[in-house]
mmCIF file of all heavy atoms in Angstrom:
data_model
loop_
_atom_site.group_PDB
_atom_site.id
_atom_site.type_symbol
_atom_site.label_atom_id
_atom_site.label_comp_id
_atom_site.label_asym_id
_atom_site.label_seq_id
_atom_site.Cartn_x
_atom_site.Cartn_y
_atom_site.Cartn_z
ATOM 1 N N TYR A 1 11.506 25.581 18.719
ATOM 2 C CA TYR A 1 11.065 26.970 18.563
ATOM 3 C C TYR A 1 9.590 27.056 18.191
ATOM 4 O O TYR A 1 9.210 27.789 17.291
ATOM 5 C CB TYR A 1 11.924 27.691 17.523
ATOM 6 C CG TYR A 1 13.347 27.875 17.967
ATOM 7 C CD1 TYR A 1 14.347 27.034 17.505
ATOM 8 C CD2 TYR A 1 13.684 28.872 18.867
ATOM 9 C CE1 TYR A 1 15.658 27.197 17.921
ATOM 10 C CE2 TYR A 1 14.991 29.038 19.296
ATOM 11 C CZ TYR A 1 15.970 28.198 18.818
ATOM 12 O OH TYR A 1 17.265 28.352 19.239
ATOM 13 N N ASN A 2 8.749 26.312 18.878
ATOM 14 C CA ASN A 2 7.310 26.388 18.645
ATOM 15 C C ASN A 2 6.654 27.075 19.839
ATOM 16 O O ASN A 2 6.272 26.438 20.815
ATOM 17 C CB ASN A 2 6.705 25.006 18.417
ATOM 18 C CG ASN A 2 5.282 25.089 17.910
ATOM 19 O OD1 ASN A 2 4.800 26.155 17.560
ATOM 20 N ND2 ASN A 2 4.604 23.963 17.888
ATOM 21 N N VAL A 3 6.586 28.397 19.783
ATOM 22 C CA VAL A 3 6.017 29.253 20.816
ATOM 23 C C VAL A 3 6.821 29.100 22.114
ATOM 24 O O VAL A 3 6.380 28.476 23.073
ATOM 25 C CB VAL A 3 4.510 28.995 21.039
ATOM 26 C CG1 VAL A 3 3.898 30.083 21.917
ATOM 27 C CG2 VAL A 3 3.766 28.920 19.714
ATOM 28 N N VAL A 4 8.005 29.682 22.107
ATOM 29 C CA VAL A 4 8.910 29.623 23.249
ATOM 30 C C VAL A 4 9.322 31.033 23.671
ATOM 31 O O VAL A 4 9.153 31.987 22.920
ATOM 32 C CB VAL A 4 10.180 28.792 22.928
ATOM 33 C CG1 VAL A 4 9.827 27.359 22.606
ATOM 34 C CG2 VAL A 4 10.988 29.415 21.819
ATOM 35 N N THR A 5 9.879 31.124 24.847
ATOM 36 C CA THR A 5 10.505 32.358 25.320
ATOM 37 C C THR A 5 11.998 32.099 25.368
ATOM 38 O O THR A 5 12.440 31.103 25.955
ATOM 39 C CB THR A 5 9.975 32.732 26.726
ATOM 40 O OG1 THR A 5 8.573 32.970 26.624
ATOM 41 C CG2 THR A 5 10.678 33.961 27.263
ATOM 42 N N THR A 6 12.780 32.973 24.721
ATOM 43 C CA THR A 6 14.224 32.750 24.645
ATOM 44 C C THR A 6 14.965 34.069 24.488
ATOM 45 O O THR A 6 14.385 35.071 24.069
ATOM 46 C CB THR A 6 14.576 31.791 23.491
ATOM 47 O OG1 THR A 6 15.969 31.487 23.540
ATOM 48 C CG2 THR A 6 14.234 32.394 22.137
ATOM 49 N N ASN A 7 16.263 34.045 24.820
ATOM 50 C CA ASN A 7 17.115 35.208 24.586
ATOM 51 C C ASN A 7 18.295 34.852 23.684
ATOM 52 O O ASN A 7 19.281 35.580 23.620
ATOM 53 C CB ASN A 7 17.595 35.827 25.901
ATOM 54 C CG ASN A 7 18.483 34.889 26.688
ATOM 55 O OD1 ASN A 7 18.804 33.784 26.250
ATOM 56 N ND2 ASN A 7 18.880 35.314 27.869
ATOM 57 N N SER A 8 18.182 33.721 22.993
ATOM 58 C CA SER A 8 19.200 33.337 22.008
ATOM 59 C C SER A 8 18.589 32.373 20.996
ATOM 60 O O SER A 8 17.591 31.706 21.279
ATOM 61 C CB SER A 8 20.406 32.691 22.688
ATOM 62 O OG SER A 8 20.034 31.475 23.291
ATOM 63 N N LEU A 9 19.194 32.338 19.827
ATOM 64 C CA LEU A 9 18.732 31.459 18.756
ATOM 65 C C LEU A 9 19.894 30.617 18.253
ATOM 66 O O LEU A 9 21.030 31.098 18.194
ATOM 67 C CB LEU A 9 18.192 32.277 17.571
ATOM 68 C CG LEU A 9 17.105 33.299 17.859
ATOM 69 C CD1 LEU A 9 16.777 34.071 16.595
ATOM 70 C CD2 LEU A 9 15.873 32.614 18.401
ATOM 71 N N ILE A 10 19.603 29.389 17.881
ATOM 72 C CA ILE A 10 20.576 28.516 17.222
ATOM 73 C C ILE A 10 19.891 28.024 15.954
ATOM 74 O O ILE A 10 18.961 27.221 16.021
ATOM 75 C CB ILE A 10 21.011 27.354 18.131
ATOM 76 C CG1 ILE A 10 21.636 27.897 19.412
ATOM 77 C CG2 ILE A 10 21.979 26.437 17.390
ATOM 78 C CD1 ILE A 10 21.977 26.845 20.438
ATOM 79 N N LEU A 11 20.345 28.540 14.803
ATOM 80 C CA LEU A 11 19.669 28.291 13.535
ATOM 81 C C LEU A 11 20.531 27.457 12.591
ATOM 82 O O LEU A 11 21.685 27.808 12.329
ATOM 83 C CB LEU A 11 19.335 29.628 12.854
ATOM 84 C CG LEU A 11 18.495 30.609 13.669
ATOM 85 C CD1 LEU A 11 18.372 31.935 12.925
ATOM 86 C CD2 LEU A 11 17.134 30.021 13.967
ATOM 87 N N PRO A 12 19.979 26.372 12.063
ATOM 88 C CA PRO A 12 20.720 25.586 11.073
ATOM 89 C C PRO A 12 20.725 26.322 9.727
ATOM 90 O O PRO A 12 19.741 26.966 9.358
ATOM 91 C CB PRO A 12 19.917 24.290 10.985
ATOM 92 C CG PRO A 12 18.518 24.700 11.322
ATOM 93 C CD PRO A 12 18.650 25.815 12.326
ATOM 94 N N LEU A 13 21.829 26.226 9.017
ATOM 95 C CA LEU A 13 21.929 26.833 7.694
ATOM 96 C C LEU A 13 21.910 25.747 6.638
ATOM 97 O O LEU A 13 22.448 24.654 6.848
ATOM 98 C CB LEU A 13 23.219 27.663 7.583
ATOM 99 C CG LEU A 13 23.343 28.802 8.596
ATOM 100 C CD1 LEU A 13 24.677 29.522 8.428
ATOM 101 C CD2 LEU A 13 22.193 29.778 8.469
ATOM 102 N N ARG A 14 21.306 26.056 5.509
ATOM 103 C CA ARG A 14 21.235 25.088 4.415
ATOM 104 C C ARG A 14 22.625 24.870 3.829
ATOM 105 O O ARG A 14 23.360 25.825 3.590
ATOM 106 C CB ARG A 14 20.296 25.596 3.325
ATOM 107 C CG ARG A 14 18.861 25.647 3.765
ATOM 108 C CD ARG A 14 17.964 26.155 2.688
ATOM 109 N NE ARG A 14 18.141 25.336 1.488
ATOM 110 C CZ ARG A 14 17.333 25.351 0.453
ATOM 111 N NH1 ARG A 14 16.296 26.149 0.451
ATOM 112 N NH2 ARG A 14 17.550 24.584 -0.582
ATOM 113 N N THR A 15 22.977 23.624 3.600
ATOM 114 C CA THR A 15 24.266 23.300 2.990
ATOM 115 C C THR A 15 24.125 23.064 1.493
ATOM 116 O O THR A 15 25.124 22.866 0.814
ATOM 117 C CB THR A 15 24.894 22.058 3.651
ATOM 118 O OG1 THR A 15 23.990 20.960 3.522
ATOM 119 C CG2 THR A 15 25.208 22.311 5.115
ATOM 120 N N ASP A 16 22.901 23.108 0.976
ATOM 121 C CA ASP A 16 22.666 22.891 -0.453
ATOM 122 C C ASP A 16 22.335 24.196 -1.181
ATOM 123 O O ASP A 16 21.906 24.173 -2.326
ATOM 124 C CB ASP A 16 21.537 21.879 -0.662
ATOM 125 C CG ASP A 16 20.202 22.359 -0.112
ATOM 126 O OD1 ASP A 16 20.188 23.341 0.678
ATOM 127 O OD2 ASP A 16 19.173 21.759 -0.457
ATOM 128 N N ALA A 17 22.526 25.337 -0.512
ATOM 129 C CA ALA A 17 22.230 26.639 -1.107
ATOM 130 C C ALA A 17 23.135 27.685 -0.456
ATOM 131 O O ALA A 17 23.822 27.393 0.527
ATOM 132 C CB ALA A 17 20.762 26.993 -0.898
ATOM 133 N N ASN A 18 23.114 28.897 -0.999
ATOM 134 C CA ASN A 18 23.925 29.982 -0.448
ATOM 135 C C ASN A 18 23.096 30.963 0.374
ATOM 136 O O ASN A 18 23.563 32.067 0.669
ATOM 137 C CB ASN A 18 24.668 30.721 -1.562
ATOM 138 C CG ASN A 18 25.793 29.881 -2.118
ATOM 139 O OD1 ASN A 18 26.448 29.145 -1.386
ATOM 140 N ND2 ASN A 18 26.010 29.972 -3.404
ATOM 141 N N GLU A 19 21.866 30.569 0.697
ATOM 142 C CA GLU A 19 21.046 31.374 1.589
ATOM 143 C C GLU A 19 20.033 30.491 2.302
ATOM 144 O O GLU A 19 19.665 29.425 1.822
ATOM 145 C CB GLU A 19 20.347 32.519 0.848
ATOM 146 C CG GLU A 19 19.175 32.114 0.011
ATOM 147 C CD GLU A 19 18.434 33.314 -0.593
ATOM 148 O OE1 GLU A 19 19.021 34.401 -0.762
ATOM 149 O OE2 GLU A 19 17.252 33.148 -0.900
ATOM 150 N N THR A 20 19.612 30.984 3.468
ATOM 151 C CA THR A 20 18.583 30.320 4.257
ATOM 152 C C THR A 20 17.627 31.410 4.733
ATOM 153 O O THR A 20 18.076 32.463 5.186
ATOM 154 C CB THR A 20 19.198 29.606 5.476
ATOM 155 O OG1 THR A 20 20.192 28.685 5.024
ATOM 156 C CG2 THR A 20 18.145 28.850 6.264
ATOM 157 N N LYS A 21 16.326 31.147 4.621
ATOM 158 C CA LYS A 21 15.316 32.113 5.061
ATOM 159 C C LYS A 21 14.478 31.513 6.189
ATOM 160 O O LYS A 21 14.114 30.343 6.132
ATOM 161 C CB LYS A 21 14.384 32.502 3.909
ATOM 162 C CG LYS A 21 15.026 33.354 2.854
ATOM 163 C CD LYS A 21 13.985 33.776 1.825
ATOM 164 C CE LYS A 21 14.571 34.793 0.871
ATOM 165 N NZ LYS A 21 13.518 35.419 0.054
ATOM 166 N N PHE A 22 14.195 32.366 7.182
ATOM 167 C CA PHE A 22 13.369 31.961 8.303
ATOM 168 C C PHE A 22 12.288 32.996 8.565
ATOM 169 O O PHE A 22 12.504 34.190 8.383
ATOM 170 C CB PHE A 22 14.195 31.822 9.591
ATOM 171 C CG PHE A 22 15.124 30.653 9.601
ATOM 172 C CD1 PHE A 22 16.486 30.834 9.420
ATOM 173 C CD2 PHE A 22 14.651 29.367 9.813
ATOM 174 C CE1 PHE A 22 17.356 29.765 9.441
ATOM 175 C CE2 PHE A 22 15.518 28.287 9.838
ATOM 176 C CZ PHE A 22 16.870 28.488 9.650
ATOM 177 N N LYS A 23 11.130 32.506 9.042
ATOM 178 C CA LYS A 23 10.069 33.364 9.567
ATOM 179 C C LYS A 23 10.206 33.325 11.082
ATOM 180 O O LYS A 23 10.102 32.257 11.683
ATOM 181 C CB LYS A 23 8.693 32.844 9.171
ATOM 182 C CG LYS A 23 8.417 32.825 7.701
ATOM 183 C CD LYS A 23 7.002 32.304 7.479
ATOM 184 C CE LYS A 23 6.925 31.449 6.266
ATOM 185 N NZ LYS A 23 5.582 30.881 6.060
ATOM 186 N N LEU A 24 10.443 34.484 11.703
ATOM 187 C CA LEU A 24 10.518 34.606 13.152
ATOM 188 C C LEU A 24 9.254 35.329 13.591
ATOM 189 O O LEU A 24 9.075 36.510 13.287
ATOM 190 C CB LEU A 24 11.760 35.389 13.572
ATOM 191 C CG LEU A 24 13.086 34.637 13.576
ATOM 192 C CD1 LEU A 24 13.535 34.272 12.190
ATOM 193 C CD2 LEU A 24 14.148 35.431 14.278
ATOM 194 N N HIS A 25 8.383 34.608 14.263
ATOM 195 C CA HIS A 25 7.058 35.107 14.623
ATOM 196 C C HIS A 25 7.016 35.351 16.124
ATOM 197 O O HIS A 25 7.050 34.404 16.908
ATOM 198 C CB HIS A 25 6.012 34.067 14.216
ATOM 199 C CG HIS A 25 4.669 34.634 13.978
ATOM 200 N ND1 HIS A 25 3.951 34.350 12.854
ATOM 201 C CD2 HIS A 25 3.900 35.460 14.703
ATOM 202 C CE1 HIS A 25 2.795 34.975 12.901
ATOM 203 N NE2 HIS A 25 2.738 35.648 14.021
ATOM 204 N N GLN A 26 6.951 36.630 16.524
ATOM 205 C CA GLN A 26 6.888 37.016 17.932
ATOM 206 C C GLN A 26 5.432 37.026 18.403
ATOM 207 O O GLN A 26 4.533 37.395 17.641
ATOM 208 C CB GLN A 26 7.499 38.404 18.112
ATOM 209 C CG GLN A 26 7.455 38.918 19.521
ATOM 210 C CD GLN A 26 7.832 40.386 19.601
ATOM 211 O OE1 GLN A 26 7.435 41.173 18.772
ATOM 212 N NE2 GLN A 26 8.609 40.724 20.611
ATOM 213 N N ASN A 27 5.196 36.627 19.647
ATOM 214 C CA ASN A 27 3.847 36.583 20.234
ATOM 215 C C ASN A 27 2.885 35.743 19.391
ATOM 216 O O ASN A 27 1.717 36.085 19.224
ATOM 217 C CB ASN A 27 3.281 37.994 20.438
ATOM 218 C CG ASN A 27 4.091 38.790 21.431
ATOM 219 O OD1 ASN A 27 4.555 38.255 22.428
ATOM 220 N ND2 ASN A 27 4.288 40.053 21.145
ATOM 221 N N TYR A 28 3.378 34.631 18.886
ATOM 222 C CA TYR A 28 2.586 33.756 18.029
ATOM 223 C C TYR A 28 1.450 33.101 18.809
ATOM 224 O O TYR A 28 1.632 32.611 19.923
ATOM 225 C CB TYR A 28 3.473 32.665 17.422
ATOM 226 C CG TYR A 28 2.746 31.733 16.495
ATOM 227 C CD1 TYR A 28 2.608 32.045 15.156
ATOM 228 C CD2 TYR A 28 2.177 30.551 16.965
ATOM 229 C CE1 TYR A 28 1.931 31.191 14.296
ATOM 230 C CE2 TYR A 28 1.497 29.692 16.113
ATOM 231 C CZ TYR A 28 1.385 30.018 14.777
ATOM 232 O OH TYR A 28 0.712 29.188 13.924
ATOM 233 N N ALA A 29 0.286 33.112 18.208
ATOM 234 C CA ALA A 29 -0.878 32.405 18.760
ATOM 235 C C ALA A 29 -1.856 32.170 17.622
ATOM 236 O O ALA A 29 -1.803 32.845 16.591
ATOM 237 C CB ALA A 29 -1.536 33.219 19.861
ATOM 238 N N ILE A 30 -2.719 31.208 17.789
ATOM 239 C CA ILE A 30 -3.771 30.929 16.798
ATOM 240 C C ILE A 30 -5.094 31.453 17.353
ATOM 241 O O ILE A 30 -5.489 31.111 18.467
ATOM 242 C CB ILE A 30 -3.880 29.419 16.494
ATOM 243 C CG1 ILE A 30 -2.620 28.917 15.808
ATOM 244 C CG2 ILE A 30 -5.107 29.130 15.652
ATOM 245 C CD1 ILE A 30 -2.396 29.456 14.405
#
């Protein structure tokens, strides 16, 4: 997921906590 085009996501969840946080950056560029 490093600057891709997609219509689905497969996200791993943390097994050592009760929450997982992600930054989803659309139209990412430097």
Side-chain angles (χ1 to χ4, degrees):
Y1 293 101
N2 191 10
V3 191
V4 298
T5 298
T6 186
N7 64 3
S8 65
L9 306 176
I10 301 174
L11 304 174
L13 301 178
R14 292 180 55 167
T15 58
D16 63 345
N18 288 324
E19 76 174 24
T20 303
K21 289 185 172 192
F22 289 105
K23 297 181 217 177
L24 281 68
H25 205 131
Q26 178 191 41
N27 296 322
Y28 181 87
I30 294 293

